[in-house]
Structure formats: C-alpha cells, structure tokens
Amino acid sequence: MSIIFDKKTGIITMNTKNTSYQVLINEHNFLLHLYYGQKIHNTNMTYLYMMFDRACAGNPNEVYPSRTVSFNVLPQEYTGYGVGDFRVNSIALQNADGSYGVDFRYVKHEIKKGKYALPGLPASYDNGDEADTLIITIEDALTKMTVDLYYGVFEEKDMITRCAKIINNGQTPVTLHKASSMCIDFPYGKWDLINFHGKHALERQIERRHVSHAIETVGSTRGTSSHQQNPFIILTSQDATEDFGDCYGFMFVYSGGFKAEVERDQFDSTRVVMGIQDEAFTWDLKPECVFYTPEVIMTYTGNGLSSLSHNYHDFVRNNICRGKYKVARRPVLLNNWEATYFNFTDKKLVEIAKDAAGLGVELFVLDDGWFGVRDSDNSGLGDWYVNTDKIKCGLPELIRQINDLGLKFGIWIEPEMVNEDSDLYRAHPDWALRMPNRIPTRSRNQLVLDMSREDVIAYLYERMSELLRDNHIEYVKWDMNRSLSDLWSATLPAGRQGEVAHRYVLGLYKLMDQLTREFPDVLFEGCSGGGARYDAGILYYSPQIWCSDDTDPIHRLNIQYGSSFGYPISTVGAHVSASPNHQTGRSTPLNTRAVVAMNGTFGYELDPTELTEEEKEQIRYQIKKFKEYYHITQDGKYYRLSSIKDESYEAWQFVSKDKTEALLDLVITSTQPNPTLINLKLKGLEEEAIYEIDSKTLPDWGKTFEIVDIDMREDYIVKKEVFSGSALMHGGYTYPWVIGDYPAIQIHLKKIK
Ligand code: GLA
C-alpha cells in the first residue's frame, strides 16, 4: 500500500517510487502539509514545521492564550477564507447569515485500493492495481461544511492527484465563491515559476521567472482553458535545468476557466493553489448537496525538466487518454482546410482524396463548410445537415467514394456554436448564451450555445449521434472557435448565474462522454481555434488535439516545444502544409515541414493535386518513414536537446522504450555562414550498446533548394556511422554542416550490439 497512516504520530505518508507526500493531523486536528519531494522512507518530517509568535497574525481559538500558532503560517492542506489565513486560500464561501468564513479541522480519513473517479468530470484512471486513494474529511465545526480531500497515489508513475468534494452537511444553504482543487505550501526554498502563455496561432510559449513576493496568477477567464494560458504550471528550484533540479508539476484536468496562484509570503514560504476560475463564480450549495472540484495531477522529480515531462507524457498517454486510439496507431490523415477552405465541391474533394490515397494517406478529413449554408464563417453553424449545393451527391455517397479509394472518412464539427444566420438559431434563439436585454458579443460572428441546458445537450447528442450513426464516419474533429462571454442561462434564477461557466463545461463533458461511449471506434480530435482547449480534460475524451492554427514549421517548433513539457507527442496534432505557409508567408523545405509534423500525430493539410511528382515521391517516403518510426515517436521517450534560447537551431530526440532505437531531429532556424558545428549530447541511450546510423535524411548543402526538397529519398543514405551509447551521450553527436533556408536533419539510430 502506497499510503501509510501512523496512528501514534497522526502522520499520513503517501509514497511513490521516487517521491513522498506527507501530512500531519496535529493535536488540534489541523490538517497540515509537512512535505512533498524526494522519497523520505516514512521519516517523520514534523521537524520542518516550526511555529513562532508572529506579529499581526490571527491565532485559532484552540491555542488560546498561546500566540505561537497562527493561521497565516499554518501549512494547511486546504484553507478557508475569512478566519485569519491572509494568503491565497483554497475556498471562499458565504454562509446563510451572510458571513464569509470557514475553518476546517480533521474529522476522519479512509485509505482505499484503486483510483477514485469523479462524477461528471474527467479524471485520471487506474489500469488495474496501479493506484491507491486517500480521502481525508475536514469539517467546519460550526456550520458542518465538509470537504473530502481526495488523493490518488500512482506509485510506479510518481504521480499524486488531488481534488475536493465539498459537501454542505449543515442546515442552511451556502454560496461558494471560490472552490479550488488543491493547495500546497513549500515552507522553504527559492523557486522559479514556468507557465505556457500564448495567443491564437502561437500557443504555449514557455515563460520562466523567479517567484517574487507579488502573487503570480496564471489563468483564464474565457470559459475555456485558452490560447493565452495553459492549465499547467511548473515550480522549479532556481538552478533547475533539463537534467537537474527540483521540479513540481501541476496539471489541471479541466477545459474551462481556471486559476493557478503562486504566492511567496512574508516568510518566503511559497503556496500553490489551483482550481476553477473564481472570477464571477458562485455555486449555490444547498444542504446535503455536493460540489466536486476538477482534478490536479502533480508530480515531483529531483532530476530536472526532462524527467518531469517523462512523468507527464507517460501518465497522460496511459492514465488520461482512453479508447481504441490510446494504443492503436492513428491513421495518417489529410485535411482539406488549407487546401480549399470553404470553397469545394464533392468532385474536388474526391480528386483530393484520390491523390491523397496515392501518397499513402489513410484518412481523409472534411473540414469546415460541409453543412448548412456555409460559404464563409458568417453563417450555418448549428445546421449539421449536409450542404447539397457543395456536396451534391450527399454525404453517404461522398463517403462511399472516399472509402472506395481505400481511405477512412473524417468530419469537422463545432457543436457548441451557432450563427444567428442559421435554422437552429431561428428556431431556438434562447439556446444561445446571452444576457437579458443585452445584445450578445459576437466573435467570428458566432454565438455560443448554452451548454448548461439539458435540452441543448439532449438536442446536440441526438443530432451528432444521428450524424455518426447514419454515415460511415471514423474520425471527428471537434472544434470550438470562440471564448465565452454573455454568460447567462434562462434555466437558472438570478442568484445562480455565477454557475453558468462551470455548468457549461459539465454539459460539454456530458455530451463528449455520451458520444465517445456510443462511438468507441471513432477517433476524436479536439480543437479550439487551434490549441485554445489543449488540456488534460479534453484529452480524456480525445487522444489528440489540433495543436495550433499556425502550421508554419518554424513557429511550430516553439509551439510544440512548449507543449512538450506537459503533453506527450501522441497528443500533438501536427500537419505538413503548403509552402509558402498560409499564416506567415514563409517558405520552407518539404523535408523540414515533415520533420516538424513527425513531432506530433502527423498528417497533411494541403492540396495534393497541386504537388509536383517529385514532391509526391518525397511525401510517400515521409509517410513510410513516419509509420516506421511511429513506435518511437508516439511511445518512446522524448528529449528536448536544445532550449528555446538557442537561436540558430532546435533539436529533439526520441528513444524507443527498449532503447534499441533513437530518432534525432534538428531544424536550423537561422543558417550561419562558416558555422560553428552543432554537437549535441544525446540522452537516454544504453551506455555500453553500439548504435549505427541506419537512415539519415539531410539537405544536400552543395546543391539547390530543389535538391533539398527531394533528399528524403531512401537512396540518400550516407556512409555507415557507428558509435557507442556512451560516446553519443558524453562526447555528443556532431551534426553535418548544412546550408539553405530552414534545413532539417533526421537521423535514425539502431542498436547493433
Ligand atoms: C479552426 C480550426 C481550423 C479549421 C477552422 C475551420 O480555426 O482550428 O483548423 O478547422 O476552424 O473553420
């Protein structure tokens, strides 16, 4: 059992392979955090917890007249606003008498085999005997407001999850104003905070800074996890690097607005609180009612950021993602969005599919524009019936023709949205989120359906399931192209409108749950104007997410680099698009575009009928290579070999699970004349094994760009190169000198002894 309770000391210790998390039930029944970090073999860590008479501090009644215990230095596991902890609190609520105050003490705890689940919310799961659950009940003695703190301990994975079940065991209603999922105090240490910010078409840019005495807040008020901030933060020791240092990760399994707060207090103790966004949030909690907070997935490693990423990659892949495509190889797809945008006919689609099939593509995806009256993004959303002006033959016939070419068929939907110019809106204007007497704010000329309404969810389930039942659809791209505003629902009374944002997310999860259960063989890909809902909540329903609307491979390097800290490559939707790129106008070699897209789920987003024969030959080769390398890129370990600060190149590496193969990728982002050679120390190989380079694709630096573009041919294999694992890891590998615009090199290594 990974959870141990010592009755004598009141200490509960959670142990994973390399980490420990310890809490103390003290003599006054405060539930205190003692330690989280490197494994301490059940050592009693109470010596770390010291109390002094601190000025300007509130003392709990139990210790009267002593002044050595004060709320605002107690490292409580879950803190209530209003009684004297002046740091960021876990929960804020208003009691029926109008007071804001809640003060928790330990009541009981329970240790169980297996991992808890959360009703109506995505959460990590146990694949059989992997996890244990600890539930600690804390209660406010006066009001009987109760919180069950849930801890999921995945011993082998070095993962501990947290969330809270808030129960009103009192006699009167309570209004929640803040309901976070977890709180943790680090009494010592100087920390850096890493977060991933961005914007549309440039998501998850890494940012790192020292945690200062100003409270740092990373969050979203957009009703989605957002392009602007990802619900994943890392706290590291200030000396931490890829391979060294203390790193703590906090990943939120939630797709709506969120808030992560990091506060370094007056005594340099650092507190992290994470939960749903509390701005304008309220929740009416009547007696006997329950509110579940979403889950936070935490990990600790003393071995730097690569190790932290490995923990998350493995966990997200195996304990968050579900369904057939969690393990089955995902088909190589071609999406028609950047090929045609809204301008296509059934004939044109079949032409594209025909050429795609000839390239080795396995799935054809019909993007936006196939339904309603939809010649631009100003109309049609909500009318999920085929547009027979464009698809004259009808959807079943189009799918038949595409299937006959040997391709699976996939489709784009945006179920949560509606255009005012649509039959759905004309029939149900009240289904869109809007405030009374106020014209709702449009974004992309669309409004948001009120997903907190049961009738809306029931309608969408019926329409979407019918679409999937009546047509041989094997892939769905589930898009969501705006942030939420005008949050008001006709189904809730005035005093409960603060619930709408969270109820929206619960409605979304309900719909996704119903559809993924009913259609377990369909591959779902999440999307939100690219990567505005790139989070572990969505990954519970769809094992991959379109990472960004920016398909420029050079920008993608940074976007995918940032994404890689928390999310595995198998979740990163990445496509080869046309050159010059549609978002930036930048021209890049086809080889480079493929190397970057192979750092993701891989596919194409271009018109294959416009390709030259040479390009087609190269694409056939790319697809063949992608399939060959699939087990390394999607299941292996991923290492960042360069940091964002390296200005002239970006490099990364995959190592297969059994360490018998590795794939090295390098893209030069700024070509230098007469350059310093790039030598990089490889990672994760077997020290004593001998590796041979058995395939190397690189731009031919003496020749022209056309030749750069065809050098992925199989015959372009240079002389045999053999190295020991230790040589590659300690002496490093020196990359060839290459020139040209944005050249890329891909090298495959195989263990030969
Ligand atoms: C979003 C998606 C794109 C595409 C368009 C269609 O922006 O991210 O990939 O599907 O919508 O409107």
Side-chain angles (χ1 to χ4, degrees):
M1 183 56 88
S2 59
I3 305 165
I4 296 160
F5 173 54
D6 182 339
K7 218 171 170 180
K8 234 173 43 219
T9 55
I11 287 177
I12 306 175
T13 309
M14 290 164 254
N15 287 313
T16 68
K17 199 166 63 180
N18 298 298
T19 76
S20 299
Y21 188 116
Q22 197 173 77
V23 299
L24 167 74
I25 304 147
N26 84 354
E27 67 274 26
H28 302 298
N29 284 326
F30 279 104
L31 180 66
L32 302 179
H33 179 76
L34 287 184
Y35 176 81
Y36 184 32
Q38 198 72 40
K39 197 163 190 168
I40 39 91
H41 306 284
N42 305 324
T43 312
N44 179 336
M45 303 299 273
T46 40
Y47 72 93
L48 289 175
Y49 155 67
M50 290 183 194
M51 287 291 134
F52 301 95
D53 180 357
R54 296 290 195 180
C56 304
N59 312 116
N61 184 45
E62 291 95 322
V63 301
Y64 181 78
S66 160
R67 302 196 301 202
T68 54
V69 177
S70 60
F71 280 110
N72 72 337
V73 289
L74 275 180
Q76 291 195 77
E77 278 290 284
Y78 202 74
T79 66
Y81 171 83
V83 294
D85 190 335
F86 304 111
R87 296 165 291 178
V88 288
N89 280 292
S90 324
I91 188 168
L93 57 81
Q94 190 170 25
N95 299 297
D97 59 9
S99 63
Y100 286 85
V102 66
D103 185 7
F104 297 112
R105 298 291 180 278
Y106 167 88
V107 176
K108 60 177 181 185
H109 74 269
E110 190 186 346
I111 297 170
K112 296 203 266 199
K113 276 242 141 280
K115 168 73 194 343
Y116 64 83
L118 289 177
L121 284 166
S124 59
Y125 62 90
D126 171 3
N127 291 297
D129 215 18
E130 269 185 317
D132 298 316
T133 293
L134 165 68
I135 305 169
I136 309 181
T137 303
I138 52 176
E139 184 192 76
D140 180 293
L142 177 70
T143 64
K144 301 291 175 222
M145 182 53 106
T146 306
V147 179
D148 282 348
L149 296 173
Y150 281 68
Y151 300 80
V153 183
F154 290 79
E155 191 168 357
E156 283 304 307
K157 309 235 158 174
D158 283 334
M159 287 289 179
I160 296 182
T161 66
R162 282 196 62 178
C163 66
K165 177 181 176 186
I166 303 167
I167 314 147
N168 184 352
N169 282 328
Q171 305 291 321
T172 51
V174 158
T175 308
L176 301 178
H177 288 268
K178 178 177 186 180
S180 303
S181 299
M182 53 81 56
C183 167
I184 189 169
D185 287 320
F186 298 91
Y188 308 105
K190 286 197 175 132
W191 303 101
D192 276 1
L193 170 65
I194 299 179
N195 64 298
F196 302 90
H197 75 101
K199 55 185 172 185
H200 174 244
L202 205 67
E203 297 87 340
R204 289 172 297 288
Q205 304 296 299
I206 191 169
E207 213 165 37
R208 175 172 176 167
R209 80 206 72 100
H210 294 340
V211 173
S212 70
H213 290 94
I215 299 169
E216 308 266 4
T217 301
V218 177
S220 157
T221 53
R222 293 170 175 265
T224 61
S225 44
S226 88
H227 296 103
Q228 287 69 20
Q229 293 289 353
N230 194 264
F232 173 53
I233 60 166
I234 303 170
L235 205 64
T236 70
S237 51
Q238 292 185 352
D239 55 0
T241 63
E242 284 287 352
D243 306 302
F244 170 83
D246 291 323
C247 300
Y248 296 86
F250 303 91
M251 179 179 280
F252 202 28
V253 190
Y254 190 61
S255 312
F258 72 97
K259 190 171 180 183
E261 294 160 286
V262 180
E263 178 175 7
R264 180 170 161 197
D265 76 3
Q266 55 186 331
F267 305 115
D268 292 334
S269 172
T270 298
R271 171 171 286 182
V272 178
V273 172
M274 193 178 226
I276 54 180
Q277 175 58 250
D278 60 344
E279 189 166 315
F281 165 81
T282 60
W283 198 272
D284 182 29
L285 203 62
K286 298 221 159 30
E288 290 174 30
C289 288
V290 164
F291 181 85
Y292 285 94
T293 72
E295 178 172 278
V296 175
I297 304 169
M298 308 187 300
T299 197
Y300 162 79
T301 170
N303 300 323
L305 290 159
S306 295
S307 159
L308 175 119
S309 296
H310 292 156
N311 289 354
Y312 278 110
H313 290 181
D314 175 53
F315 197 70
V316 170
R317 236 165 5 204
N318 295 303
N319 300 82
I320 289 285
C321 293
R322 300 175 304 159
K324 173 177 161 184
Y325 286 103
K326 169 181 166 177
V327 279
R329 183 174 72 72
R330 323 245 179 91
V332 175
L333 66 80
L334 184 136
N335 178 306
N336 77 312
W337 178 240
E338 289 196 16
T340 64
Y341 296 101
F342 294 103
N343 185 16
F344 55 81
T345 60
D346 45 8
K347 216 171 130 251
K348 175 69 187 168
L349 296 176
V350 174
E351 272 169 26
I352 291 178
K354 197 168 166 197
D355 274 29
L359 297 174
V361 165
E362 297 161 309
L363 162 68
F364 173 80
V365 179
L366 173 54
D367 209 278
D368 195 353
W370 62 268
F371 53 89
V373 179
R374 185 79 170 164
D375 294 321
S376 74
D377 51 12
N378 293 316
S379 65
L381 284 177
D383 297 341
W384 303 107
Y385 298 93
V386 73
N387 176 323
T388 45
D389 286 342
K390 293 189 203 179
I391 304 180
K392 291 203 165 50
C393 64
L395 208 47
E397 172 56 19
L398 175 71
I399 297 174
R400 190 194 60 74
Q401 289 184 33
I402 285 171
N403 288 164
D404 282 354
L405 293 167
L407 295 178
K408 295 179 193 298
F409 179 84
I411 206 158
W412 179 96
I413 53 170
E414 195 179 359
E416 298 157 69
M417 297 292 154
V418 68
N419 285 118
E420 286 153 285
D421 185 1
S422 70
D423 291 342
L424 184 71
Y425 185 79
R426 284 182 279 274
H428 297 285
D430 56 318
W431 280 7
L433 287 173
R434 64 189 314 157
M435 293 186 259
N437 306 318
R438 190 181 292 279
I439 296 170
T441 302
R442 299 180 187 93
S443 178
R444 212 191 190 201
N445 277 341
Q446 62 197 54
L447 302 181
V448 187
L449 289 176
D450 180 356
M451 302 288 284
S452 74
R453 286 177 68 135
E454 280 177 19
D455 51 354
V456 170
I457 300 299
Y459 169 78
L460 288 174
Y461 168 69
E462 205 174 296
R463 187 70 287 268
M464 292 302 145
S465 55
E466 202 172 44
L467 180 71
L468 296 179
R469 231 176 282 127
D470 293 352
N471 298 285
H472 189 219
I473 292 171
E474 297 180 79
Y475 160 105
V476 169
K477 179 176 173 188
W478 184 310
D479 209 342
M480 195 285 190
N481 276 312
R482 61 161 289 183
S483 309
L484 306 190
S485 63
D486 300 86
L487 285 159
W488 190 88
S489 177
T491 57
L492 289 169
R496 291 182 52 198
Q497 293 298 326
E499 298 179 17
V500 179
H502 182 56
R503 286 191 183 277
Y504 179 99
V505 184
L506 294 178
L508 168 72
Y509 288 151
K510 181 173 178 189
L511 181 60
M512 287 183 154
D513 184 60
Q514 287 173 330
L515 291 171
T516 50
R517 260 176 218 280
E518 184 170 341
F519 302 98
D521 289 338
V522 172
L523 169 58
F524 284 83
E525 174 154 0
C527 180
S528 181
R533 247 184 359 197
Y534 204 108
D535 56 67
I538 294 295
L539 289 171
Y540 185 71
Y541 302 98
S542 62
Q544 61 191 58
I545 299 176
W546 182 228
C547 181
S548 177
D549 272 350
D550 189 347
T551 59
D552 175 322
I554 305 308
H555 279 159
R556 273 289 184 135
L557 288 173
N558 287 358
I559 298 168
Q560 294 176 193
Y561 172 86
S563 307
S564 78
F565 280 82
Y567 304 100
I569 296 322
S570 59
T571 66
V572 176
H575 299 165
V576 173
S577 62
S579 178
N581 177 267
H582 291 194
Q583 290 80 44
T584 61
R586 182 179 359 225
S587 297
T588 50
L590 185 49
N591 177 31
T592 302
R593 283 174 271 152
V595 166
V596 176
M598 282 189 209
N599 194 11
T601 55
F602 197 65
Y604 292 81
E605 182 138 348
L606 43 70
D607 187 346
T609 66
E610 288 175 5
L611 295 169
T612 64
E613 271 318 307
E614 260 174 12
E615 286 170 326
K616 286 185 175 173
E617 187 193 343
Q618 194 180 343
I619 288 180
R620 276 184 213 106
Y621 181 73
Q622 292 170 352
I623 293 177
K624 182 171 161 274
K625 282 288 166 197
F626 172 70
K627 289 184 190 164
E628 252 173 62
Y629 299 152
Y630 190 85
H631 64 287
I632 320 178
T633 61
Q634 311 294 305
D635 279 340
K637 273 201 173 156
Y638 175 83
Y639 295 90
R640 294 172 290 268
L641 295 186
S642 61
S643 92
I644 210 86
K645 290 190 205 92
D646 294 319
E647 274 162 19
S648 63
Y649 65 88
E650 210 154 306
W652 61 97
Q653 178 198 350
F654 300 94
V655 180
S656 66
K657 265 188 183 157
D658 61 5
K659 300 189 177 187
T660 60
E661 285 176 88
L663 191 66
L664 314 184
D665 290 319
L666 171 88
V667 177
I668 311 276
T669 50
S670 168
T671 308
Q672 309 295 319
N674 199 18
T676 302
L677 293 181
I678 299 171
N679 173 282
L680 296 176
K681 290 182 176 151
L682 305 191
K683 298 185 180 177
L685 302 175
E686 264 179 49
E687 293 272 348
E688 286 175 16
I690 303 295
Y691 293 90
E692 179 186 277
I693 292 185
D694 78 339
S695 166
K696 185 173 191 175
T697 59
L698 72 168
D700 189 341
W701 63 287
K703 301 197 182 137
T704 59
F705 292 135
E706 283 72 39
I707 290 169
V708 169
D709 262 352
I710 58 162
D711 57 37
M712 278 194 93
R713 283 186 323 215
E714 213 159 357
D715 55 0
Y716 203 90
I717 293 174
V718 281
K719 67 177 189 329
K720 260 205 176 139
E721 291 171 83
V722 175
F723 308 87
S724 68
S726 50
L728 290 168
M729 291 196 290
H730 308 304
Y733 176 75
T734 304
Y735 287 80
W737 172 2
V738 291
I739 61 163
D741 271 344
Y742 310 107
I745 298 173
Q746 186 170 63
I747 292 170
H748 181 246
L749 290 158
K750 212 166 181 160
K751 178 178 164 184
I752 50 172
K753 37 180 192 269

